[in-house]
Amino acid sequence: MDAGAFGNRLGLDEAYRFAKGEEVISSSGVPVRLSRPLDFMVVADHSDNMGFFPDMFAGAPHILSDPTGKDWYDRIMSGEGVGVAFELIGKFSQGEFPEALLYTPDSKPYKDAWAKTVKAADRHNEPGQFTAFIGYEWTSLVKGGNMHRVVVYRDGANKALQAVPFTTVPPTGSINPRDLWSWLDNFESNTGGDVLAIAHNGNLANGIMFPLDAQYDGRALDTEYVKTRDLWEPLYEVTQIKGDGETHPFLSPDDEFADYETWDIGNLDVSEAKTNDMLAGEYAREALKRGLQIETKLGTNPYKFGMIGSTDSHTSLVAVQEDNFFGKHAGAEPKADRMAHPFMETDEGKILGWQMAASGLAAVWAKENTREAIFDAMERKEVYATTGSRMLVRFFGGWDFTAADANNRLPGALGYTKGVPMGGDLSAAPSGKAPSFLVAARMDPLGGNLDRIQIVKGWLNADGSTSEKVFNVAWGGDRKLDRKGKLPAVGNTVDVAIATWTNTIGAPELIAVWQDPDFDASQKAFYYVRVLEIPTPRWTAYDAKYFKVKPPAGAEMTTQERAYTSPIWYQPTP
């Protein structure tokens, strides 16, 4: 619905070819190729009006004969794609899209478009070499509040073509997540297939992504809601181009790294300004804490999710490292003025091009590069997110890790033997014991050294409130923790003018065993790892150097890439 209006002229084949390392020509006419191919990908086009834009570009008579369709066509062809894109999204979310231009799921153009999507994934899927998942994006907007989910299939065309995607348009579609979950259940029951949904971009939901008591329509959370959300949504996309969603400085005032690639101006279309009371329903760390509270009341934790990153790029190009960032959409591909040009602008506020985040990637611990193995790893939440870096991260929890285990060169083998991996559960604490964790990280071979490994803990207090704490557990250099557990900054070797840095600080790898010093066996808790790289040039520094332009006032020029693992949860014995 929006990638086409924004100007993307690449298709499914180009997207997969690019991800596998082949050269393609971007929509802006630039030859592009990844320096390092990817292992897996899902192309998740919006399910609403699938197939509409190819017909519009072709000047289909039924589109040009409609006054609104003709207006959109003329404006897109004259270069006004960005404005048209937001108008399309707005009309869809408000139920004002012209009926003559709706491609309903039972129409031939829609079914043909879905078949092309499915067959392209099967065509490019190469078990053992490259995994192409079938998927789509259910694009729910509630008064501009982002409620999007990406649906991913474990199976191939034989299952996926038995049903068309779920949309947001009544009477067959809905903007309510409960209805999406019903569709997922029906799909599996009717086809024998296996699917999951990934919520993303909660930082643009204006408080409705992770409700505590009632969902956006006022309906109270109940046992059905918490059980079905937990069943169908094992993952959350915690970082992507439209900002980072781990936490916010208002929510985590004691976390010195909380304000990272923060987008908090408003909802998805910036039609409603953000207020502080919305933030708790948007960010991953607070959602994990809310999940502990809801579980106490309703018996199931609906926010027991693993964490991944994704791009959300609308260019068909998965290029989100700082030195190759190709932007959110075709109008934001590399050019001299993209940093200062408004990425999004309404009466409520403005987001400038430099605020796009070069993020992110999903990392999965799977036994082989196949749909089945990767999907199963996603379902068991043995995954982590990065903001674009390709660092390796291991995280295990148990009761018997010792300091000597940090000397092991195979932390995975040891971790599975003595504990559970990221995404796992600990329970029944042995008398007098606190959980211990084995954490290990290795730098991206083409990236910055590692600054530190942190473990983030959240827990449920006896009075029903929640708390959080960030622990520094391993770091590069000879720095020392102060009495409050704070660690001095690693330093900064970035030369912004030439967009480079030196790996003379930090460490290429870190490994440690850490035991919770504040453990209370009666408290529900979660633990996840955050790994920080040393400062390196942000994509804006690369742009400034390449195009020889002065960056806009306020533009960040350095970054500290990071990774977030899925949590390990501790559950007291009843």
Side-chain angles (χ1 to χ4, degrees):
M1 274 299 296
D2 49 1
F6 280 134
N8 183 20
R9 298 298 181 265
L10 303 188
L12 296 156
D13 288 321
E14 289 93 340
Y16 286 120
R17 286 175 48 221
F18 181 77
K20 292 192 284 188
E22 296 181 34
E23 182 178 291
V24 301
I25 305 299
S26 76
S27 295
S28 54
V30 179
V32 287
R33 182 176 182 176
L34 280 178
S35 59
R36 292 176 288 176
L38 297 178
D39 299 308
F40 66 96
M41 186 175 71
V42 55
V43 174
D45 268 330
H46 294 320
S47 59
D48 286 329
N49 246 34
M50 193 176 287
F52 173 72
F53 266 101
D55 284 354
M56 174 173 275
F57 295 147
H62 73 281
I63 293 177
L64 298 187
S65 64
D66 181 274
T68 303
K70 180 66 164 57
D71 175 60
W72 285 341
Y73 176 83
D74 290 341
R75 288 164 58 196
I76 288 174
M77 294 302 153
S78 66
E80 296 181 34
V82 175
V84 174
F86 285 115
E87 186 174 320
L88 288 166
I89 295 168
K91 286 188 177 296
F92 244 99
S93 64
Q94 296 162 22
E96 298 174 357
F97 203 83
E99 187 173 346
L101 303 182
L102 281 174
Y103 281 38
T104 58
D106 60 351
S107 68
K108 185 179 185 303
Y110 190 104
K111 291 179 179 177
D112 288 346
W114 176 235
K116 289 178 182 178
T117 300
V118 170
K119 292 175 182 178
D122 270 12
R123 188 164 59 249
H124 287 278
N125 189 52
E126 303 173 27
Q129 298 295 321
F130 178 82
T131 294
F133 281 108
I134 296 167
Y136 68 87
E137 183 177 348
W138 174 73
T139 322
S140 171
L141 276 180
V142 180
K143 297 181 180 178
N146 175 66
M147 294 283 276
H148 298 187
R149 266 77 168 176
V150 169
V151 174
V152 181
Y153 295 68
R154 186 178 190 268
D155 308 287
N158 60 325
K159 301 286 178 63
L161 289 178
Q162 293 185 39
V164 291
F166 191 61
T167 71
T168 68
V169 182
T172 57
S174 167
I175 61 172
N176 194 324
R178 292 178 188 255
D179 296 323
L180 173 67
W181 302 331
S182 294
W183 183 94
L184 298 171
D185 183 58
N186 290 333
F187 176 85
E188 288 198 351
S189 298
N190 294 333
T191 68
D194 201 351
V195 286
L196 59 80
I198 305 167
H200 81 151
N201 239 168
N203 61 315
L204 299 179
N206 272 15
I208 63 174
M209 180 61 83
F210 301 112
L212 178 61
D213 299 308
Q215 64 176 35
Y216 70 92
D217 60 0
R219 182 175 174 183
L221 302 193
D222 51 23
T223 55
E224 178 193 23
Y225 180 97
V226 297
K227 286 182 178 179
T228 52
R229 182 159 185 166
D230 177 54
L231 174 65
W232 296 113
E233 298 189 7
L235 304 179
Y236 175 59
E237 181 197 84
V238 72
T239 185
Q240 62 131 282
I241 282 174
K242 297 198 294 295
D244 195 78
E246 183 216 3
T247 192
H248 187 281
F250 177 81
L251 302 171
S252 303
D254 295 327
D255 182 353
E256 60 192 304
F257 297 102
D259 192 9
Y260 179 73
E261 298 289 357
T262 304
W263 276 37
D264 57 6
I265 189 172
N267 53 359
L268 184 62
D269 57 8
V270 201
S271 60
E272 181 185 28
K274 188 82 69 188
T275 56
N276 286 339
D277 62 298
M278 298 174 180
L279 297 171
E282 300 189 338
Y283 284 84
R285 189 184 301 177
E286 196 67 25
L288 293 168
K289 289 156 62 179
R290 284 187 165 191
L292 302 179
Q293 295 174 304
I294 295 170
E295 182 180 30
T296 299
K297 291 187 257 183
L298 297 176
T300 301
N301 182 346
Y303 309 138
K304 198 174 181 183
F305 50 73
M307 293 197 273
I308 63 165
S310 297
T311 68
D312 200 22
S313 65
H314 285 40
T315 61
S316 300
L317 306 174
V318 188
V320 290
Q321 291 182 200
E322 304 296 335
D323 62 353
N324 73 5
F325 181 51
F326 245 70
K328 164 71 175 175
H329 55 73
E333 290 185 4
K335 54 186 176 181
D337 67 344
R338 72 166 173 169
M339 286 191 283
H341 193 273
F343 175 81
M344 196 181 297
E345 185 174 15
T346 71
D347 293 339
E348 296 296 332
K350 177 166 56 177
I351 296 174
L352 295 175
W354 69 261
Q355 293 175 283
M356 290 185 290
S359 190
L361 294 175
V364 174
W365 286 108
K367 293 182 178 180
E368 59 185 9
N369 191 351
T370 62
R371 283 173 172 168
E372 296 78 12
I374 295 174
F375 187 97
D376 292 349
M378 291 193 292
E379 280 204 322
R380 67 175 181 267
K381 307 164 192 172
E382 197 170 353
V383 301
Y384 62 96
T386 85
T387 56
S389 173
R390 300 197 188 187
M391 65 182 89
L392 281 174
V393 185
R394 281 293 204 186
F395 181 42
F396 296 91
W399 305 104
D400 299 309
F401 289 110
T402 65
D405 292 333
N407 298 321
N408 194 293
R409 297 303 300 164
L410 295 173
L414 185 65
Y416 290 117
T417 300
K418 299 179 72 170
V420 300
M422 58 183 79
D425 296 280
L426 293 173
S427 60
S431 179
K433 279 197 171 185
S436 52
F437 299 90
L438 175 64
V439 294
R442 182 182 294 173
M443 66 176 287
D444 180 333
L446 301 184
N449 276 344
L450 305 179
D451 169 5
R452 68 189 72 192
I453 295 177
Q454 300 177 309
I455 288 182
V456 179
K457 177 186 178 183
W459 67 93
L460 185 67
N461 297 305
D463 63 0
S465 64
T466 60
S467 299
E468 65 175 63
K469 190 172 183 179
V470 180
F471 297 89
N472 292 294
V473 301
W475 53 88
D478 58 359
R479 295 171 287 168
K480 305 292 184 183
L481 295 177
D482 66 19
R483 280 184 281 182
K484 294 183 178 180
K486 297 292 186 182
L487 187 69
V490 69
N492 191 332
T493 67
V494 176
D495 187 330
V496 171
I498 57 175
T500 191
W501 78 100
T502 61
N503 272 328
T504 53
I505 56 176
E509 64 177 57
L510 295 169
I511 186 169
V513 170
W514 176 82
Q515 189 171 56
D516 183 0
D518 305 324
F519 181 65
D520 183 333
S522 68
Q523 293 176 331
K524 295 180 180 182
F526 63 82
Y527 305 81
Y528 69 86
V529 166
R530 181 172 66 187
V531 183
L532 300 175
E533 289 185 2
I534 65 171
T536 52
R538 194 172 180 268
W539 70 267
T540 43
Y542 288 104
D543 262 32
K545 174 192 174 186
Y546 183 84
F547 292 110
K548 297 180 174 58
V549 296
K550 183 179 179 180
E556 298 286 344
M557 303 303 284
T558 63
T559 186
Q560 279 194 266
E561 301 275 15
R562 54 201 62 195
Y564 311 115
T565 72
S566 296
I568 292 173
W569 287 268
Y570 168 71
Q571 182 72 37
T573 302

